[in-house]
Amino acid sequence: MNPVTMRAWRVDAPRGIDRKPIIARREALPRPGPGELLARVLACGVCRTDLHVVEGDLPVHRPHVVPGHEVVAEVVATAERGEFTVGDRVGIPWLRHTCGVCEFCRKGTENLCPASRYTGWDTDGGYAEYVTVPIDFALALPAGYEDRELAPLLCAGIIGYRALTRALVPEGGALGIYGFGGSAHLTAQVALARGARVHVMTRGAAARELALGLGVASVQRAADPPPERLDSAILFAPVGELVPPALEALGAGGTLAVAGIHLTDIPPLDYQRHLFGERQIRSVTSNTRTDAREFLEFAARHRLRVTTHPYPLERADQALSDLAHGRFDGAAVLLP
């Protein structure tokens, strides 16, 4: 029998993480609507997008929302038959709803749907003991991973996979990765498995050590030039000042993909140094369900090394603070 109340963290008011923007409380369990599942949270990743939500870098979509969108959960109730039944383990990702009828949905780019909605931003997410999810947007999960390993795959992994696609890495090419946190350390493994040479630029000594342990070709500080011209690059750090050095590191025809939902201001670019030679910069906007399924199928075939740091649910505020201040490598995960 399910409990009547649960623990949850809600955004009090968006502000800097050290000013305590989220508060813990007990409240009634959410009720699944038509076409939705009710699920018990087994693990929830702590994503930098959560930090952008609670600190106000992203506009408020739902006041006092429960953050969290890298959710591994067990189905406890469903209003109708579908792919999942009670007892199944499911993934609850960032993308929660698209209209299915607009021009973008019809041509396979549902991530650009103007009616799209997101877990932990438009609706309550996984910084809680229970959560709901539309059946059509719940994800089947690969076997062979612990709950806490699966959680970062559901955004960090998926968005990194899309960023890798957007970066247009040629076969056997050189890829630069700027910033090396939860998403980057998974994306690097996908790129390496596909035969790319990966060079990592990041500020953290622990992150550089993690990158070397995964087999990358080189590591250096965030704005340092890589040892060879890059065919492609991905910017994971939400730091606009890294755009010029990343573009300058590209060879002719190279592509920089910016993976984050938020980026600080980009300094003025010099056309000759940063863009001439048909270098280009591309943004990454959410992901499609096809991206998610392709990435999780890849994770099923290739055992990824997922570096996680567990926090109990009652320390969600500390996990976000540690993320903001770069106190860990890999990804933080909340456990009930």
Side-chain angles (χ1 to χ4, degrees), residues 14-325:
R15 52 182 179 259
I17 190 60
D18 293 328
R19 296 171 57 206
K20 307 297 182 185
I22 61 173
I23 56 174
R25 51 186 281 182
R26 290 205 72 90
E27 58 184 57
L29 267 63
R31 293 188 176 184
E36 291 187 345
L37 306 169
L38 175 66
R40 180 174 63 89
V41 176
L42 303 174
C44 182
V46 178
C47 180
R48 188 164 291 276
T49 300
D50 302 336
L51 192 61
H52 295 319
V53 168
V54 304
E55 291 197 316
D57 295 324
L58 298 179
V60 174
H61 279 195
R62 177 175 181 167
H64 309 300
V65 72
V66 176
H69 57 274
E70 295 180 332
V71 188
V72 178
E74 178 188 4
V75 177
V76 297
T78 177
E80 58 189 70
R81 291 187 177 183
E83 180 181 355
F84 303 107
T85 60
V86 172
D88 286 346
R89 188 171 64 163
V90 298
I92 302 175
W94 176 238
L95 185 66
R96 183 183 178 92
H97 169 81
T98 55
C99 73
V101 297
C102 71
E103 60 174 311
F104 300 107
C105 288
R106 292 199 307 272
K107 68 182 182 181
T109 53
E110 67 177 359
N111 58 308
L112 302 179
C113 173
S116 59
R117 301 179 73 201
Y118 302 95
T119 306
W121 192 20
D122 295 290
T123 60
D124 290 339
Y127 285 29
E129 292 181 299
Y130 287 82
V131 66
T132 64
V133 61
I135 294 173
D136 290 342
F137 287 80
L139 297 172
L141 296 171
Y145 292 86
E146 297 180 8
D147 296 335
R148 75 180 195 178
E149 294 176 308
L150 287 167
L153 302 186
L154 294 168
C155 179
I158 292 169
I159 206 67
Y161 180 85
R162 183 165 185 86
L164 192 60
T165 301
R166 295 281 291 166
L168 304 175
V169 186
E171 184 176 354
L175 170 68
I177 290 180
Y178 289 79
F180 205 75
S183 189
H185 93 286
L186 298 171
T187 306
Q189 294 177 67
V190 179
L192 289 167
R194 291 178 171 179
R197 298 184 308 282
V198 178
H199 302 281
V200 170
M201 279 61 70
T202 190
R203 65 180 182 176
R208 292 195 293 270
E209 185 175 341
L210 173 60
L212 286 173
L214 294 174
V216 304
S218 74
V219 297
Q220 36 271 316
R221 292 174 298 179
D224 288 349
E228 64 174 318
R229 280 288 178 187
L230 303 175
D231 297 296
S232 305
I234 303 173
L235 176 59
F236 285 103
V239 181
E241 290 182 358
L242 292 178
V243 169
L247 286 170
E248 193 168 356
L250 293 172
T255 299
L256 169 65
V258 179
I261 193 173
H262 170 77
L263 188 70
T264 59
D265 290 344
I266 300 172
L269 299 177
D270 180 284
Y271 182 68
Q272 293 293 331
R273 288 175 56 196
H274 302 131
L275 291 171
F276 192 68
E278 300 193 353
R279 287 171 284 181
Q280 63 177 324
I281 181 171
R282 309 178 84 189
S283 66
V284 178
T285 301
S286 185
N287 61 271
T288 67
R289 282 172 285 179
T290 297
D291 295 323
R293 291 167 184 144
E294 287 180 358
F295 171 70
L296 292 174
E297 288 169 3
F298 178 93
R301 298 191 307 269
H302 300 80
R303 183 58 167 84
L304 298 174
R305 174 180 160 188
V306 189
T307 299
T308 62
H309 301 273
Y311 290 75
L313 178 60
E314 56 266 26
R315 293 185 61 215
D317 54 347
Q318 184 63 54
L320 283 168
S321 177
D322 289 349
L323 172 63
H325 294 291

